Amino acid sequence: MWRTRLGVVGNHVRGDRNDDVCYSPEVRQAPSKALVVALESTIVSHGMPWPQNYSTAKEVEDIIRRAGAVPATICILKGKIHVGLTDDELRYIAQDATRMKKLSRRDVAHAMAMGLDGATTVASTMLLAHLVGIRVFVTGGIGGVHRSFLDTMDVSADLTELGRTPVTVVCAGAKSILDIPKTMEYLETQGVCVAAYKTDEFPAFYTAKSHVKAPCRFDSATDVARTMVCSLDALGASSGMVVGVPPPPLTRSSHRFEEAIERALREAQEKAITGAKETPFVLRRVAELTQGESLLVNMMLVKNNAQVGAEIARELFSMCNSKIG
């Protein structure tokens, strides 16, 4: 059961012999997929400007390595799924966002069939990580229910993916530009375990305070890994988990961040910017309105999440080896 459900002991798991999947040498040589940490590529191509995106991606990968795990940035290049990138490939996706199509779950098959280059979102990174047997995924923040939901019915595909894909997402909560209470309700409906890490309140990306209590709390990476094992092995659950890690402290008050978010959302509405283009626009405007502080926090929090995610992967690897042994 541990082999069939967790799919993480040894490298011969689903996707390894798939001609559409290209592994970096580092990922291919990993002793187990349990030790590999998936990273999305949209945060690199669309989430931060050059060259901060490249340097941050390199630092995140190094943090994971130093913590004893293996980083695997995931994207689509010339129609092939790449799990782990070389330095040249990472630089390629970071330098020019216009050549990288933003790919959610619905877009992956088309990008592969057409031989396109594409950056994966939270939803599509989960999809591809699960395909190859990776169980831990680190990102900045997840998508959610948009504040304009009643007018637009805009709900991120990240939430439905969490309800059907057994991957643990380590993040700084849902992005502050979203409706966090509604996001939490939606995740409950999807049967997703949502937990705060070493705190009781679910974080809100730029700030640790969302005023929304998390349903669960984890105080260690061991707690997270043990819960993953119970979910996958004992229950055979098909849903994922969200581990919300509070971001580093801000120098700017959360109230001033909220003002910047509100203004950016109004501007997006006035310019009729919707769908996949809305979040990048709003995040970029918030960075401008906060004189770059939101970008700094974004860079800091994803590094913080990488440390926690690597510790979880290391614990999962240890538990799997102990059980099999």
Short mmCIF file of all heavy atoms in Angstrom, two decimals, residues 111-171:
data_model
loop_
_atom_site.label_atom_id
_atom_site.label_comp_id
_atom_site.label_asym_id
_atom_site.label_seq_id
_atom_site.Cartn_x
_atom_site.Cartn_y
_atom_site.Cartn_z
N ALA A 111 -0.71 22.92 -24.81
CA ALA A 111 0.68 23.38 -24.90
C ALA A 111 1.60 22.24 -25.33
O ALA A 111 2.52 22.43 -26.14
CB ALA A 111 1.13 23.96 -23.56
N MET A 112 1.34 21.05 -24.80
CA MET A 112 2.15 19.89 -25.18
C MET A 112 1.93 19.53 -26.64
O MET A 112 2.88 19.28 -27.38
CB MET A 112 1.82 18.72 -24.27
CG MET A 112 2.23 18.92 -22.81
SD MET A 112 1.65 17.58 -21.72
CE MET A 112 2.63 16.19 -22.36
N ALA A 113 0.68 19.50 -27.06
CA ALA A 113 0.36 19.10 -28.43
C ALA A 113 0.92 20.07 -29.46
O ALA A 113 1.36 19.67 -30.54
CB ALA A 113 -1.15 18.98 -28.59
N MET A 114 0.92 21.37 -29.10
CA MET A 114 1.38 22.40 -30.02
C MET A 114 2.87 22.72 -29.91
O MET A 114 3.39 23.57 -30.62
CB MET A 114 0.58 23.69 -29.79
CG MET A 114 -0.92 23.56 -30.06
SD MET A 114 -1.31 23.19 -31.79
CE MET A 114 -1.74 21.44 -31.66
N GLY A 115 3.55 22.05 -28.98
CA GLY A 115 4.99 22.27 -28.82
C GLY A 115 5.34 23.64 -28.25
O GLY A 115 6.36 24.23 -28.61
N LEU A 116 4.50 24.16 -27.36
CA LEU A 116 4.68 25.50 -26.82
C LEU A 116 5.57 25.52 -25.59
O LEU A 116 5.86 24.49 -24.98
CB LEU A 116 3.31 26.09 -26.45
CG LEU A 116 2.26 26.15 -27.56
CD1 LEU A 116 0.96 26.73 -27.00
CD2 LEU A 116 2.76 26.97 -28.74
N ASP A 117 6.00 26.74 -25.22
CA ASP A 117 6.67 26.99 -23.95
C ASP A 117 5.62 27.53 -22.98
O ASP A 117 4.85 28.44 -23.33
CB ASP A 117 7.78 28.03 -24.10
CG ASP A 117 8.94 27.53 -24.95
OD1 ASP A 117 9.10 26.30 -25.05
OD2 ASP A 117 9.67 28.38 -25.50
N GLY A 118 5.59 27.00 -21.77
CA GLY A 118 4.59 27.48 -20.82
C GLY A 118 5.05 27.36 -19.39
O GLY A 118 5.80 26.45 -19.02
N ALA A 119 4.60 28.31 -18.57
CA ALA A 119 4.89 28.32 -17.14
C ALA A 119 3.69 27.77 -16.39
O ALA A 119 2.55 28.13 -16.69
CB ALA A 119 5.22 29.74 -16.68
N THR A 120 3.93 26.93 -15.42
CA THR A 120 2.85 26.27 -14.69
C THR A 120 2.39 27.08 -13.49
O THR A 120 3.18 27.64 -12.75
CB THR A 120 3.27 24.87 -14.23
OG1 THR A 120 4.49 24.97 -13.47
CG2 THR A 120 3.50 23.97 -15.43
N THR A 121 1.07 27.11 -13.30
CA THR A 121 0.45 27.73 -12.14
C THR A 121 0.44 26.72 -10.99
O THR A 121 0.93 25.60 -11.13
CB THR A 121 -0.99 28.15 -12.46
OG1 THR A 121 -1.73 26.95 -12.76
CG2 THR A 121 -1.05 29.11 -13.64
N VAL A 122 -0.18 27.10 -9.88
CA VAL A 122 -0.32 26.16 -8.77
C VAL A 122 -1.08 24.92 -9.24
O VAL A 122 -0.67 23.78 -8.98
CB VAL A 122 -1.04 26.82 -7.58
CG1 VAL A 122 -1.43 25.78 -6.53
CG2 VAL A 122 -0.16 27.89 -6.95
N ALA A 123 -2.20 25.11 -9.94
CA ALA A 123 -3.03 23.98 -10.36
C ALA A 123 -2.28 23.03 -11.28
O ALA A 123 -2.28 21.80 -11.09
CB ALA A 123 -4.29 24.48 -11.06
N SER A 124 -1.63 23.57 -12.30
CA SER A 124 -0.94 22.69 -13.25
C SER A 124 0.34 22.11 -12.67
O SER A 124 0.74 20.99 -13.04
CB SER A 124 -0.65 23.45 -14.56
OG SER A 124 0.04 24.65 -14.32
N THR A 125 0.99 22.82 -11.77
CA THR A 125 2.16 22.25 -11.10
C THR A 125 1.75 21.06 -10.25
O THR A 125 2.43 20.02 -10.22
CB THR A 125 2.88 23.29 -10.23
OG1 THR A 125 3.24 24.42 -11.04
CG2 THR A 125 4.15 22.71 -9.61
N MET A 126 0.61 21.17 -9.54
CA MET A 126 0.10 20.04 -8.77
C MET A 126 -0.18 18.85 -9.69
O MET A 126 0.17 17.71 -9.37
CB MET A 126 -1.18 20.43 -8.04
CG MET A 126 -0.99 21.35 -6.86
SD MET A 126 -2.56 21.64 -5.99
CE MET A 126 -2.85 20.03 -5.27
N LEU A 127 -0.84 19.12 -10.80
CA LEU A 127 -1.17 18.07 -11.76
C LEU A 127 0.07 17.31 -12.20
O LEU A 127 0.11 16.07 -12.19
CB LEU A 127 -1.87 18.70 -12.97
CG LEU A 127 -2.09 17.80 -14.19
CD1 LEU A 127 -3.15 16.76 -13.91
CD2 LEU A 127 -2.47 18.66 -15.41
N LEU A 128 1.11 18.05 -12.58
CA LEU A 128 2.33 17.43 -13.11
C LEU A 128 3.19 16.81 -12.02
O LEU A 128 3.83 15.77 -12.24
CB LEU A 128 3.11 18.45 -13.93
CG LEU A 128 2.36 19.02 -15.15
CD1 LEU A 128 3.18 20.07 -15.87
CD2 LEU A 128 1.95 17.90 -16.10
N ALA A 129 3.19 17.43 -10.85
CA ALA A 129 3.92 16.84 -9.72
C ALA A 129 3.32 15.48 -9.38
O ALA A 129 4.04 14.48 -9.17
CB ALA A 129 3.88 17.77 -8.51
N HIS A 130 1.99 15.41 -9.33
CA HIS A 130 1.31 14.15 -9.03
C HIS A 130 1.60 13.11 -10.11
O HIS A 130 1.79 11.92 -9.82
CB HIS A 130 -0.19 14.40 -8.91
CG HIS A 130 -1.00 13.17 -8.69
ND1 HIS A 130 -0.77 12.29 -7.65
CD2 HIS A 130 -2.04 12.65 -9.39
CE1 HIS A 130 -1.64 11.30 -7.70
NE2 HIS A 130 -2.41 11.48 -8.76
N LEU A 131 1.65 13.55 -11.36
CA LEU A 131 1.93 12.64 -12.47
C LEU A 131 3.23 11.88 -12.26
O LEU A 131 3.33 10.69 -12.55
CB LEU A 131 1.99 13.44 -13.78
CG LEU A 131 2.45 12.67 -15.03
CD1 LEU A 131 1.37 11.68 -15.46
CD2 LEU A 131 2.80 13.63 -16.16
N VAL A 132 4.25 12.57 -11.74
CA VAL A 132 5.57 11.95 -11.59
C VAL A 132 5.86 11.49 -10.16
O VAL A 132 6.95 11.05 -9.86
CB VAL A 132 6.69 12.90 -12.08
CG1 VAL A 132 6.49 13.23 -13.56
CG2 VAL A 132 6.74 14.18 -11.25
N GLY A 133 4.87 11.60 -9.26
CA GLY A 133 5.04 11.05 -7.93
C GLY A 133 5.63 11.98 -6.89
O GLY A 133 6.05 11.53 -5.82
N ILE A 134 5.66 13.29 -7.17
CA ILE A 134 6.15 14.26 -6.19
C ILE A 134 4.99 14.67 -5.30
O ILE A 134 3.91 15.00 -5.79
CB ILE A 134 6.77 15.48 -6.88
CG1 ILE A 134 7.97 15.07 -7.73
CG2 ILE A 134 7.19 16.53 -5.84
CD1 ILE A 134 8.53 16.19 -8.59
N ARG A 135 5.19 14.69 -3.98
CA ARG A 135 4.10 14.92 -3.04
C ARG A 135 4.16 16.26 -2.33
O ARG A 135 3.17 16.66 -1.70
CB ARG A 135 4.08 13.80 -1.98
CG ARG A 135 3.83 12.42 -2.55
CD ARG A 135 2.52 12.36 -3.31
NE ARG A 135 2.27 11.03 -3.85
CZ ARG A 135 1.56 10.82 -4.94
NH1 ARG A 135 1.04 11.83 -5.60
NH2 ARG A 135 1.36 9.59 -5.36
N VAL A 136 5.29 16.96 -2.39
CA VAL A 136 5.42 18.25 -1.70
C VAL A 136 5.70 19.34 -2.73
O VAL A 136 6.56 19.18 -3.61
CB VAL A 136 6.54 18.22 -0.65
CG1 VAL A 136 6.67 19.57 0.05
CG2 VAL A 136 6.29 17.11 0.39
N PHE A 137 5.00 20.43 -2.62
CA PHE A 137 5.07 21.52 -3.59
C PHE A 137 5.13 22.85 -2.83
O PHE A 137 4.28 23.11 -1.98
CB PHE A 137 3.86 21.43 -4.51
CG PHE A 137 3.54 22.65 -5.33
CD1 PHE A 137 4.52 23.49 -5.82
CD2 PHE A 137 2.21 22.95 -5.64
CE1 PHE A 137 4.20 24.61 -6.58
CE2 PHE A 137 1.88 24.05 -6.40
CZ PHE A 137 2.87 24.89 -6.86
N VAL A 138 6.11 23.65 -3.14
CA VAL A 138 6.29 24.96 -2.50
C VAL A 138 5.96 26.08 -3.48
O VAL A 138 6.39 26.06 -4.63
CB VAL A 138 7.73 25.13 -1.98
CG1 VAL A 138 8.04 26.60 -1.66
CG2 VAL A 138 7.97 24.27 -0.75
N THR A 139 5.20 27.05 -3.01
CA THR A 139 4.90 28.24 -3.82
C THR A 139 4.79 29.45 -2.91
O THR A 139 4.99 29.34 -1.69
CB THR A 139 3.61 28.03 -4.64
OG1 THR A 139 3.44 29.12 -5.54
CG2 THR A 139 2.39 27.92 -3.73
N GLY A 140 4.47 30.61 -3.50
CA GLY A 140 4.28 31.81 -2.69
C GLY A 140 2.93 31.79 -2.01
O GLY A 140 2.82 31.72 -0.78
N GLY A 141 1.86 31.86 -2.82
CA GLY A 141 0.51 31.82 -2.28
C GLY A 141 -0.41 31.14 -3.27
O GLY A 141 -0.14 31.13 -4.48
N ILE A 142 -1.48 30.57 -2.78
CA ILE A 142 -2.44 29.92 -3.67
C ILE A 142 -3.47 30.93 -4.17
O ILE A 142 -3.66 31.99 -3.59
CB ILE A 142 -3.17 28.75 -2.98
CG1 ILE A 142 -3.96 29.25 -1.74
CG2 ILE A 142 -2.19 27.65 -2.60
CD1 ILE A 142 -4.88 28.20 -1.14
N GLY A 143 -4.13 30.58 -5.27
CA GLY A 143 -5.25 31.37 -5.75
C GLY A 143 -6.48 31.07 -4.90
O GLY A 143 -6.42 30.27 -3.96
N GLY A 144 -7.59 31.70 -5.23
CA GLY A 144 -8.78 31.48 -4.42
C GLY A 144 -10.02 32.10 -5.04
O GLY A 144 -10.09 32.31 -6.25
N VAL A 145 -10.97 32.41 -4.19
CA VAL A 145 -12.19 33.07 -4.63
C VAL A 145 -11.92 34.57 -4.72
O VAL A 145 -11.48 35.18 -3.74
CB VAL A 145 -13.34 32.81 -3.64
CG1 VAL A 145 -14.61 33.54 -4.09
CG2 VAL A 145 -13.60 31.31 -3.51
N HIS A 146 -12.19 35.16 -5.87
CA HIS A 146 -11.91 36.58 -6.06
C HIS A 146 -12.95 37.44 -5.34
O HIS A 146 -14.10 37.02 -5.15
CB HIS A 146 -11.86 36.92 -7.55
CG HIS A 146 -10.58 36.49 -8.20
ND1 HIS A 146 -9.69 37.36 -8.76
CD2 HIS A 146 -10.05 35.25 -8.35
CE1 HIS A 146 -8.65 36.71 -9.24
NE2 HIS A 146 -8.85 35.42 -9.02
N ARG A 147 -12.55 38.63 -4.97
CA ARG A 147 -13.45 39.53 -4.25
C ARG A 147 -14.65 39.93 -5.11
O ARG A 147 -15.70 40.28 -4.58
CB ARG A 147 -12.69 40.78 -3.79
CG ARG A 147 -11.55 40.46 -2.82
CD ARG A 147 -10.96 41.73 -2.24
NE ARG A 147 -9.74 41.45 -1.48
CZ ARG A 147 -9.11 42.33 -0.71
NH1 ARG A 147 -9.59 43.57 -0.63
NH2 ARG A 147 -8.02 42.01 -0.07
N SER A 148 -14.48 39.85 -6.41
CA SER A 148 -15.57 40.20 -7.33
C SER A 148 -16.40 38.98 -7.71
O SER A 148 -17.09 38.99 -8.74
CB SER A 148 -14.98 40.84 -8.59
OG SER A 148 -14.09 39.93 -9.23
N PHE A 149 -16.34 37.94 -6.91
CA PHE A 149 -16.96 36.66 -7.25
C PHE A 149 -18.43 36.80 -7.65
O PHE A 149 -18.89 36.19 -8.61
CB PHE A 149 -16.83 35.69 -6.08
CG PHE A 149 -17.62 34.42 -6.26
CD1 PHE A 149 -17.17 33.42 -7.09
CD2 PHE A 149 -18.84 34.24 -5.60
CE1 PHE A 149 -17.90 32.25 -7.27
CE2 PHE A 149 -19.57 33.08 -5.77
CZ PHE A 149 -19.09 32.08 -6.61
N LEU A 150 -19.19 37.60 -6.92
CA LEU A 150 -20.63 37.71 -7.19
C LEU A 150 -20.91 38.27 -8.58
O LEU A 150 -21.96 38.00 -9.17
CB LEU A 150 -21.31 38.57 -6.13
CG LEU A 150 -21.33 37.97 -4.71
CD1 LEU A 150 -22.00 38.94 -3.74
CD2 LEU A 150 -22.04 36.62 -4.70
N ASP A 151 -19.97 39.04 -9.12
CA ASP A 151 -20.14 39.59 -10.46
C ASP A 151 -19.48 38.74 -11.54
O ASP A 151 -19.97 38.69 -12.68
CB ASP A 151 -19.54 41.01 -10.52
CG ASP A 151 -20.26 41.98 -9.60
OD1 ASP A 151 -21.51 41.89 -9.52
OD2 ASP A 151 -19.60 42.80 -8.96
N THR A 152 -18.36 38.09 -11.19
CA THR A 152 -17.56 37.41 -12.20
C THR A 152 -17.55 35.88 -12.10
O THR A 152 -17.13 35.21 -13.05
CB THR A 152 -16.10 37.89 -12.11
OG1 THR A 152 -15.56 37.48 -10.84
CG2 THR A 152 -16.00 39.40 -12.25
N MET A 153 -17.96 35.35 -10.95
CA MET A 153 -17.87 33.90 -10.69
C MET A 153 -16.43 33.41 -10.82
O MET A 153 -16.17 32.26 -11.17
CB MET A 153 -18.77 33.12 -11.64
CG MET A 153 -20.26 33.44 -11.51
SD MET A 153 -20.92 32.91 -9.93
CE MET A 153 -20.95 31.15 -10.13
N ASP A 154 -15.47 34.27 -10.49
CA ASP A 154 -14.05 33.95 -10.67
C ASP A 154 -13.52 33.20 -9.45
O ASP A 154 -13.37 33.76 -8.37
CB ASP A 154 -13.25 35.24 -10.89
CG ASP A 154 -11.85 34.97 -11.44
OD1 ASP A 154 -11.40 33.82 -11.36
OD2 ASP A 154 -11.22 35.92 -11.94
N VAL A 155 -13.26 31.92 -9.64
CA VAL A 155 -12.66 31.07 -8.62
C VAL A 155 -11.44 30.40 -9.24
O VAL A 155 -11.53 29.79 -10.31
CB VAL A 155 -13.64 29.99 -8.12
CG1 VAL A 155 -12.97 29.08 -7.08
CG2 VAL A 155 -14.89 30.63 -7.54
N SER A 156 -10.31 30.49 -8.56
CA SER A 156 -9.08 29.92 -9.10
C SER A 156 -9.18 28.41 -9.26
O SER A 156 -9.73 27.70 -8.41
CB SER A 156 -7.91 30.25 -8.17
OG SER A 156 -6.74 29.55 -8.56
N ALA A 157 -8.59 27.90 -10.35
CA ALA A 157 -8.51 26.46 -10.57
C ALA A 157 -7.64 25.78 -9.51
O ALA A 157 -7.70 24.55 -9.36
CB ALA A 157 -7.96 26.17 -11.96
N ASP A 158 -6.85 26.57 -8.78
CA ASP A 158 -6.03 26.00 -7.70
C ASP A 158 -6.90 25.26 -6.69
O ASP A 158 -6.52 24.22 -6.16
CB ASP A 158 -5.26 27.10 -6.96
CG ASP A 158 -4.29 27.86 -7.83
OD1 ASP A 158 -4.11 27.47 -9.00
OD2 ASP A 158 -3.72 28.85 -7.34
N LEU A 159 -8.08 25.80 -6.42
CA LEU A 159 -8.93 25.24 -5.37
C LEU A 159 -9.53 23.90 -5.78
O LEU A 159 -9.60 22.97 -4.98
CB LEU A 159 -10.04 26.24 -5.01
CG LEU A 159 -9.59 27.63 -4.57
CD1 LEU A 159 -10.78 28.43 -4.04
CD2 LEU A 159 -8.48 27.56 -3.52
N THR A 160 -9.99 23.81 -7.03
CA THR A 160 -10.54 22.53 -7.47
C THR A 160 -9.43 21.49 -7.62
O THR A 160 -9.65 20.30 -7.37
CB THR A 160 -11.30 22.68 -8.80
OG1 THR A 160 -10.49 23.42 -9.73
CG2 THR A 160 -12.60 23.41 -8.59
N GLU A 161 -8.24 21.94 -8.00
CA GLU A 161 -7.11 21.00 -8.10
C GLU A 161 -6.76 20.44 -6.74
O GLU A 161 -6.46 19.25 -6.60
CB GLU A 161 -5.90 21.71 -8.72
CG GLU A 161 -4.84 20.75 -9.24
CD GLU A 161 -5.33 19.93 -10.42
OE1 GLU A 161 -6.05 20.48 -11.28
OE2 GLU A 161 -5.01 18.72 -10.47
N LEU A 162 -6.80 21.29 -5.73
CA LEU A 162 -6.53 20.82 -4.37
C LEU A 162 -7.55 19.77 -3.93
O LEU A 162 -7.23 18.88 -3.14
CB LEU A 162 -6.53 22.00 -3.40
CG LEU A 162 -5.23 22.80 -3.35
CD1 LEU A 162 -5.47 24.20 -2.79
CD2 LEU A 162 -4.19 22.06 -2.51
N GLY A 163 -8.75 19.85 -4.46
CA GLY A 163 -9.78 18.90 -4.09
C GLY A 163 -9.66 17.55 -4.77
O GLY A 163 -10.31 16.59 -4.35
N ARG A 164 -8.80 17.45 -5.80
CA ARG A 164 -8.73 16.18 -6.53
C ARG A 164 -7.32 15.66 -6.73
O ARG A 164 -7.14 14.60 -7.36
CB ARG A 164 -9.40 16.34 -7.89
CG ARG A 164 -8.76 17.35 -8.82
CD ARG A 164 -9.61 17.53 -10.08
NE ARG A 164 -9.20 18.70 -10.85
CZ ARG A 164 -9.93 19.20 -11.85
NH1 ARG A 164 -11.07 18.63 -12.18
NH2 ARG A 164 -9.52 20.26 -12.51
N THR A 165 -6.31 16.36 -6.23
CA THR A 165 -4.93 15.95 -6.45
C THR A 165 -4.18 15.87 -5.13
O THR A 165 -4.04 16.88 -4.43
CB THR A 165 -4.22 16.94 -7.41
OG1 THR A 165 -4.99 17.04 -8.62
CG2 THR A 165 -2.82 16.48 -7.74
N PRO A 166 -3.67 14.69 -4.76
CA PRO A 166 -3.03 14.50 -3.45
C PRO A 166 -1.59 15.01 -3.37
O PRO A 166 -0.63 14.24 -3.28
CB PRO A 166 -3.10 12.99 -3.26
CG PRO A 166 -3.04 12.43 -4.65
CD PRO A 166 -3.79 13.41 -5.50
N VAL A 167 -1.47 16.32 -3.41
CA VAL A 167 -0.17 16.99 -3.26
C VAL A 167 -0.31 18.00 -2.13
O VAL A 167 -1.34 18.68 -2.03
CB VAL A 167 0.24 17.69 -4.57
CG1 VAL A 167 1.47 18.57 -4.36
CG2 VAL A 167 0.53 16.65 -5.66
N THR A 168 0.72 18.10 -1.29
CA THR A 168 0.71 19.08 -0.20
C THR A 168 1.35 20.37 -0.66
O THR A 168 2.50 20.38 -1.13
CB THR A 168 1.47 18.52 1.02
OG1 THR A 168 0.73 17.41 1.55
CG2 THR A 168 1.61 19.58 2.11
N VAL A 169 0.60 21.47 -0.57
CA VAL A 169 1.07 22.77 -1.04
C VAL A 169 1.49 23.62 0.16
O VAL A 169 0.67 23.93 1.03
CB VAL A 169 -0.03 23.50 -1.84
CG1 VAL A 169 0.47 24.86 -2.32
CG2 VAL A 169 -0.48 22.64 -3.02
N VAL A 170 2.75 23.97 0.19
CA VAL A 170 3.31 24.81 1.26
C VAL A 170 3.35 26.24 0.74
O VAL A 170 4.01 26.52 -0.27
CB VAL A 170 4.71 24.34 1.67
CG1 VAL A 170 5.26 25.19 2.82
CG2 VAL A 170 4.68 22.86 2.06
N CYS A 171 2.65 27.14 1.40
CA CYS A 171 2.49 28.50 0.88
C CYS A 171 2.32 29.48 2.04
O CYS A 171 2.26 29.08 3.20
CB CYS A 171 1.28 28.57 -0.04
SG CYS A 171 -0.27 28.13 0.79
#
